[in-house]
Amino acid sequence: MFINISHEFEVLNACFARQAAWITAEFAKMSSDSTLLENEDIEARLFHPQGPGSAEQILCRMMVNELNALVETAMQDALVRASGETLFRSGSRVEREVKLIYGLNRGELERELERNGISLGALEDYAAVQQVKEISEGNKHRERLRPVPKWNRAHKTLEQIESLVPGSIDTWFSSYELDLGQVHQYICSSGNFIRALNDASPEKMA
């Protein structure tokens, strides 16, 4: 409602395409440089602050974080349309806590959308946007790691939390392995999900 999601998505897509093209060209240039291959540490050049490897990683993380934000904005807008309200009242007491829908967290949004008849799990590419969410949370809260082990009180031990994102998990502390191809797929999947969510949440009639 406050953000034009279609416009923001086009901007995101255009930014990714432009930067991905530069990164791909730089990778190609370095791989064809026989002098570089013979005389320099190519890994150091790739992941130099101005190298294409470093650029690829920061671009991938930026895109995932922005995609997650747009998906959550789409969920907020969908809940406003489905409920006909911008306020959310929690609890069953007479004096219930009141929040703006635009201040709800992801878990609250998903629960309320389900209560308003929108089955998120049935929407196109829901699994992919859940992967995007996991990666974004890892970027923000876990030093870019997959879900870290949690303490099981009953068994008095740390237990591995299963990651939604495909890839090798060799240790308890594993990073995500993002590349341009995977992130491009996440962009497509997020767009599919947002369109499906819009179709599933028509404006509530007064």
Side-chain angles (χ1 to χ4, degrees):
M1 302 291 178
F2 298 103
I3 293 176
N4 184 329
I5 295 177
S6 295
H7 173 76
E8 293 294 323
F9 199 85
E10 286 185 23
V11 171
L12 198 67
N13 219 344
C15 177
F16 177 78
R18 185 165 55 249
Q19 297 303 318
W22 178 85
I23 290 166
T24 301
E26 288 298 304
F27 275 132
K29 188 187 302 182
M30 290 181 68
S31 66
S32 64
D33 188 340
S34 58
T35 304
L36 171 64
L37 295 175
E38 291 173 2
N39 300 325
E40 293 192 45
D41 182 354
I42 191 167
E43 191 80 3
R45 284 287 300 274
L46 282 172
F47 293 99
H48 183 276
Q50 296 181 21
S54 296
E56 179 182 33
Q57 291 306 303
I58 192 66
L59 178 64
C60 288
R61 291 195 298 271
M62 287 168 55
M63 289 296 120
V64 164
N65 292 344
E66 284 298 312
L67 286 172
N68 190 56
L70 284 181
V71 166
E72 292 191 2
T73 298
M75 287 182 173
Q76 292 166 345
D77 289 352
L79 183 53
V80 170
R81 288 194 302 272
S83 66
E85 301 282 350
T86 56
L87 296 177
F88 167 75
R89 295 171 176 81
S90 61
S92 57
R93 296 171 299 174
V94 174
E95 294 183 2
R96 294 182 295 175
E97 182 181 1
V98 177
K99 300 179 183 179
L100 280 171
I101 283 177
Y102 294 101
L104 299 183
N105 62 39
R106 179 69 164 261
E108 291 171 326
L109 280 170
E110 294 199 0
R111 285 193 297 273
E112 290 307 306
L113 285 166
E114 294 283 347
R115 286 176 186 167
N116 279 270
I118 299 173
S119 178
L120 294 172
L123 298 182
E124 184 176 1
D125 284 326
Y126 176 72
V129 300
Q130 290 300 90
Q131 291 179 19
V132 168
K133 173 179 178 286
E134 182 190 301
I135 298 169
S136 180
E137 289 178 345
N139 290 341
K140 292 187 291 184
H141 305 303
R142 298 191 301 270
E143 296 196 24
R144 304 170 189 164
L145 296 173
R146 294 173 182 270
V148 296
K150 288 189 177 181
W151 183 252
N152 184 311
R153 292 184 180 179
H155 298 119
K156 293 182 172 56
T157 184
L158 285 170
E159 291 187 348
Q160 181 69 52
I161 305 300
E162 185 177 357
S163 174
L164 300 174
V165 182
S168 61
I169 305 176
D170 300 326
T171 67
W172 278 3
F173 301 101
S174 298
S175 300
Y176 297 104
E177 300 170 357
L178 297 175
D179 58 40
L180 297 178
Q182 183 180 2
V183 171
H184 178 261
Q185 185 56 56
Y186 281 147
I187 292 172
C188 296
S189 296
S190 297
N192 292 338
F193 174 80
I194 289 172
R195 283 188 291 273
L197 180 60
N198 289 340
D199 292 340
S201 55
E203 195 85 34
K204 184 173 182 178
M205 301 300 292

